[in-house]
Amino acid sequence: MSEESYPKPNYYNADHGLRKMSTKAFEIENESFAIIDSEVGVHTYDELEWAIVRRVIHATADFDFAGKEKITFHGDVFASAFKAIEDECHILSDVEMVLSGINKQLTKELNLKTLCRISDISVIKYSRDNNLTRSQVAMDFSAAQIQNGIVVIGNAPTALFQLISMIRENRVKPALVIGIPVGFISALESKRELLRTPIPSITNIGRKGGSAAASSIINALMLIHKSRVR
């Protein structure tokens, strides 16, 4: 059989056997994806990018992520993310809500390590003593795990600004930054600064973001990787 004859991996939605989900759940998810495709219509994303964006819309029911606050891809996002996953990297999150949304089955199967230090006693004490946010301090205290890892920020612009500072100071070089903090204070500005770094990143235009959006992106990346290598 020629290489061209092999079926292409389904980046949109790997089969339910691969994902250990029921046929019913799989059918519901596919129906939801069909609705998203229909309502979005023509778009400029390639196949892999759309696999990410569609899952964010599925997780949030917010079509702005493909519209006025669209998700953007900066640098060689997929090659960098897949290499980090193959190397069994750390996945760092800014808050526990993002961490809780990361698929535990996938991280276990891919032998990835997850970390969020926002509730560490040392982080809490240092943030109070120095009038800093806990998410900012947690990012600073996680430098060793950030190196060559994937950072997922869905809530705290201060965490993203701290990470950007660490990158510019050559303290860390993550493989990928998923920077999609939500909010009215500094969320948009932190995303703009992220795009000025040389690090591959996934972010969006505007104030929207959040835990569900951030965790859906890393979950989609893990699922796509698993679909590619099976």
Side-chain angles (χ1 to χ4, degrees):
M1 180 181 288
S2 68
E3 183 177 349
E4 289 78 10
S5 300
Y6 284 102
K8 293 176 66 177
N10 184 352
Y11 296 132
Y12 289 170
N13 198 15
D15 65 72
H16 62 283
L18 177 66
R19 299 178 60 200
K20 296 182 175 61
M21 64 193 300
S22 70
T23 301
K24 181 64 174 177
F26 187 69
E27 290 172 348
I28 291 171
E29 186 173 75
N30 273 330
E31 185 176 354
S32 297
F33 283 175
I35 292 170
I36 293 169
D37 285 344
S38 175
E39 294 199 19
V40 171
V42 177
H43 57 78
T44 59
Y45 294 109
D46 66 28
E47 185 181 23
L48 285 174
E49 292 171 347
W50 181 239
I52 301 293
V53 176
R54 189 163 69 162
R55 285 199 172 274
V56 174
I57 297 172
H58 181 256
T60 62
D62 192 338
F63 286 88
D64 278 351
F65 285 114
K68 65 180 182 180
E69 300 210 14
K70 69 181 296 182
I71 291 175
T72 63
F73 298 82
H74 173 65
D76 202 351
V77 166
F78 293 99
S80 188
F82 296 155
K83 176 64 165 58
I85 292 171
E86 289 164 6
D87 290 342
E88 301 179 354
C89 69
H90 277 87
I91 299 175
L92 282 294
S93 69
D94 59 332
V95 296
E96 290 171 355
M97 285 182 66
V98 172
L99 183 65
S100 68
I102 297 175
N103 189 300
K104 307 301 186 295
Q105 175 186 312
L106 285 172
T107 55
K108 181 178 180 180
E109 291 175 356
L110 295 169
N111 201 28
L112 304 176
K113 302 162 283 290
T114 58
L115 177 67
C116 177
R117 299 192 63 182
I118 197 168
S119 295
D120 286 9
I121 297 300
S122 59
V123 168
I124 295 171
K125 183 178 187 305
Y126 192 92
S127 68
R128 287 176 176 171
D129 291 347
N130 293 276
N131 195 29
L132 301 169
T133 69
R134 282 197 290 157
S135 59
Q136 179 181 1
V137 175
M139 202 59 56
D140 186 65
F141 282 18
S142 303
Q145 293 77 27
I146 290 171
Q147 186 68 18
N148 300 316
I150 297 175
V151 183
V152 188
I153 296 174
N155 280 261
T158 55
L160 185 51
F161 272 129
Q162 177 63 34
L163 176 61
I164 292 166
S165 294
M166 295 165 71
I167 291 169
R168 288 174 172 165
E169 293 167 1
N170 294 318
R171 292 180 55 201
V172 296
K173 187 178 181 181
L176 174 70
V177 177
I178 299 168
I180 194 164
V182 62
F184 297 98
I185 308 299
S186 299
L188 174 59
E189 293 80 1
S190 65
K191 295 168 187 176
R192 287 173 176 166
E193 286 302 310
L194 175 60
L195 292 174
R196 294 188 177 102
T197 74
I199 302 299
S201 63
I202 302 174
T203 186
N204 74 301
I205 301 166
R207 295 170 171 171
K208 291 187 178 182
S211 299
S215 58
S216 69
I217 293 172
I218 184 60
N219 288 341
L221 285 168
M222 291 190 292
L223 183 57
I224 293 169
H225 178 270
K226 189 173 180 182
S227 299
R228 290 171 66 251
V229 301
R230 62 172 171 162

